[in-house]
Amino acid sequence: MAAIAISGLVKTYGKQNAVDNLTANITKGRITGFLGPNGAGKSTTLRCLVGLSAPTSGTALIYDKPYRDLDNPLSKVGTVLDSRGFHSALTGKQNLRVVAAAAGIPDSRVDEVLEMVELKDAAGKRMKIYSLGMKQRLALAGAILGDPEILILDEPANGLDPAGIAWLRKFLRRLAEGGRTILVSSHQLAEMQNTVDDVIIINKGKLIASGSMKEVIGDGSLEDAFLALTGGEL
Amino acid sequence: MGALLKSEWRKLIYARAHWGLLIGAILVAGLGTAVSPVILDNPDSGFGLGLEQTQSVDAVYANAISGYFFAIIIGIMLMSGEFRHGTAVATFLTAPKRGTVLATKLAIAAIGGMLVMVIATAAGLTAGWIALSFFPDAASPTNEVFINTLLAAVVSGAILGIVGVALGTLVRNQMLAITGALIYLFVIDPILLALAPDAGKYLPVGLITAMLALDIDAPEFGIDTSAYLPPLTATLVLLGYGAVFATLAIATSLRRDIE
């Protein structure tokens, strides 16, 4: 069963198609890597999927519904789009309490997720002093606040140091073990090869490959397959 | 809706900048009211009014409303702050029905603007009372001035908060929205009021002044309150502004992509 179904998605800015007739399915309970060179249309696709951008045409559905029609969406889908999204003058805890209140989630859950992302000690500090890694962890905490079945993560490893990437790998594996559906975009190809079950590769807004990791890379590496499919752009 | 109200209320009270605006409004209202008796008591001021006249003392107390522009800034910051800090993403991911989010934000901005105005105006009235106690020959104010000033604070605070949210939706750049609002309120509106009083009396500053129901005729300053709308009519027109701007905010936020 497809947890996420993208069908004929087109998003146009002026005369340029950022996403060009993209069709792809994300299978429930699997980790899917969403790959493509810079400017390929990955973030635009994810923004259309969660209702922040309106598709020019086509559909992007979660459990057969547009995101905005989901009941209490935070309990179905957790999203990390970038490390922004939080008020720099508020503490990490205050930022999450704002989100929790809107979703009807008790404040005790805020303390739980802060502990899960190992930010408990920094919870009372203002976001303006957070490092990029800490902001990414807070964004992940926000994504799991509603204990969702689906996670949509756009470049969650961006700006993380090796220790942060190792932490993220363990964190995602722990979430995946719970049977969650995870759609993750990243440039960390070696990391993705070891983490994801399925792969979707797009270039210039168009789908160029999709399937299980084995189907897409054969006996080679993800990086080799990616470079061959995208014409060497990374 | 209740959950969203709680979330928006937290945004209002968690941000230190909003508390700074409250302090600013108290200072402006307090100082503006406290220095008025000194200016009016000066025979060279040109107002042609003295503190021994009731209308002059009423004008002192009416200055307690002078922090009204802070209400519009609160509304702007509540909305454009979402785009400045990128929190609009989290807001609309949590509550993707944008009309509901906007309606909640308008309600909280109205409450926030009203609270700021009531607290600042009360501080201004107190400052005026203290300042006037240093002028033993000052006349007693009318009872109506306190009621009218507080009523004007409640209504203008709520409506300017709503207008602020609408401006923050239309002009997502926070500094541009605040600067534009201040230039309008302090430069364009007063000029229109002085040059074309027939049209100017329908503009926000003229309407807020009309709600105070003052009786002042100082032609050398371009002020003749008898030309203003009756207080109730002014209140209704100001409410109309609130409704138009609220509709604009909802209509525009529903269409645009969130970056």
Side-chain angles (χ1 to χ4, degrees):
Chain A
M1 179 194 171
I4 297 171
I6 298 167
S7 177
L9 187 71
V10 176
K11 179 64 181 177
T12 304
Y13 294 107
K15 289 179 181 172
Q16 191 171 355
N17 281 350
V19 182
D20 192 354
N21 197 27
L22 179 65
T23 296
N25 289 327
I26 285 84
T27 308
K28 187 178 178 186
R30 292 174 72 83
I31 306 178
T32 303
F34 191 36
L35 312 177
N38 285 334
K42 303 186 296 293
S43 296
T44 306
T45 301
L46 298 181
R47 284 176 175 275
C48 288
L49 182 58
V50 296
L52 295 175
S53 295
T56 306
S57 63
T59 57
L61 306 176
I62 296 169
Y63 292 141
D64 294 329
K65 288 181 180 174
Y67 184 89
R68 68 168 60 89
D69 291 341
L70 295 173
D71 295 327
N72 197 359
L74 242 52
S75 68
K76 306 277 191 317
V77 185
T79 309
V80 174
L81 288 182
D82 50 36
S83 57
R84 292 181 83 225
F86 291 116
H87 199 303
S88 58
L90 267 54
T91 66
K93 191 172 187 172
Q94 284 176 329
N95 271 298
L96 290 185
R97 283 171 65 117
V98 166
V99 176
I105 295 167
D107 289 341
S108 56
R109 175 68 180 162
V110 170
D111 298 325
E112 279 176 33
V113 295
L114 282 167
E115 194 156 349
M116 286 171 74
V117 300
E118 298 170 20
L119 271 182
K120 201 176 175 187
D121 292 341
K125 295 191 169 115
R126 298 197 180 272
M127 282 256 330
K128 66 178 82 169
I129 64 156
Y130 277 29
S131 66
L132 187 54
M134 290 165 82
K135 287 177 184 170
Q136 291 283 34
R137 287 181 194 213
L138 190 70
L140 285 164
I144 58 171
L145 201 52
D147 197 15
E149 300 149 31
I150 296 175
L151 282 169
I152 296 170
L153 311 172
D154 189 11
E155 307 281 1
N158 247 6
L160 293 183
D161 58 19
I165 290 172
W167 173 86
L168 179 66
R169 185 195 312 132
K170 277 195 286 181
F171 183 74
L172 289 182
R173 281 187 182 152
R174 206 164 58 235
L175 291 173
E177 282 164 11
R180 287 183 175 83
T181 306
I182 301 177
L183 175 60
V184 54
S185 82
S186 176
H187 284 125
Q188 309 279 339
L189 296 180
E191 193 65 36
M192 293 288 266
Q193 186 170 347
N194 292 326
T195 310
V196 306
D197 305 311
D198 298 327
V199 181
I200 295 169
I201 302 177
I202 65 170
N203 193 18
K204 295 174 182 165
K206 293 178 191 280
L207 178 73
I208 54 172
S210 72
S212 69
M213 180 65 76
K214 181 74 180 164
E215 286 168 351
V216 173
I217 70 172
D219 294 327
S221 70
L222 180 59
E223 185 171 299
D224 290 340
F226 181 89
L227 292 174
L229 287 163
T230 59
E233 294 177 66
L234 187 60
Chain B
M1 190 78 171
L4 275 180
L5 276 172
K6 187 176 175 186
S7 176
E8 291 298 327
W9 175 254
R10 283 182 171 179
K11 286 177 193 172
L12 180 70
I13 62 169
Y14 282 165
R16 285 179 178 176
H18 298 154
W19 292 99
L21 288 175
L22 173 63
I23 292 167
I26 290 170
L27 287 174
V28 166
L31 288 173
T33 316
V35 300
S36 299
V38 180
I39 295 168
L40 287 172
D41 194 50
N42 180 359
D44 299 327
S45 69
F47 271 101
L49 302 168
L51 288 174
E52 67 282 358
Q53 296 176 60
T54 298
Q55 59 174 324
S56 181
V57 173
D58 279 0
V60 169
Y61 282 115
N63 271 323
I65 206 166
S66 52
Y68 63 89
F69 59 92
F70 284 98
I72 204 165
I73 295 176
I74 281 204
I76 291 171
M77 287 180 68
L78 272 173
M79 190 66 235
S80 62
E82 294 269 14
F83 302 110
R84 182 182 171 201
H85 297 284
T87 51
V89 169
T91 297
F92 289 113
L93 284 174
T94 311
K97 292 193 169 54
R98 297 187 189 179
T100 311
V101 172
L102 255 293
T104 312
K105 205 172 272 292
L106 289 165
I108 289 295
I111 293 169
M114 192 172 67
L115 284 175
V116 165
M117 282 302 294
V118 168
I119 293 168
T121 303
L125 292 172
T126 307
W129 177 75
I130 293 168
L132 282 165
S133 68
F134 290 96
F135 297 87
D137 295 333
S140 297
T142 59
N143 288 331
E144 289 78 18
V145 75
F146 297 107
I147 296 164
N148 290 341
T149 306
L150 283 169
L151 267 176
V154 168
V155 176
S156 66
I159 293 172
L160 289 174
I162 287 170
V163 171
V165 168
L167 285 176
T169 311
L170 296 165
V171 185
R172 293 182 176 186
N173 182 310
Q174 192 172 80
M175 284 312 295
L176 195 62
I178 292 174
T179 307
L182 294 181
I183 287 174
Y184 176 79
L185 288 174
F186 287 106
V187 181
I188 297 171
D189 202 315
I191 288 173
L192 289 173
L193 198 58
L195 295 181
D198 283 345
K201 66 185 177 185
Y202 292 100
L203 299 175
V205 175
L207 294 169
I208 294 169
T209 311
M211 287 164 66
L212 298 169
L214 293 174
D215 177 19
I216 299 172
D217 182 11
E220 57 273 49
F221 286 88
I223 303 171
D224 177 9
T225 52
S226 64
Y228 288 5
L229 293 174
L232 184 61
T233 311
T235 305
L236 292 173
V237 176
L238 206 54
L239 283 169
Y241 271 103
V244 168
F245 274 89
T247 307
L248 266 178
I250 289 172
T252 51
S253 81
L254 292 176
R255 293 203 180 108
R256 293 162 75 178
D257 289 349
I258 305 296
E259 299 301 331

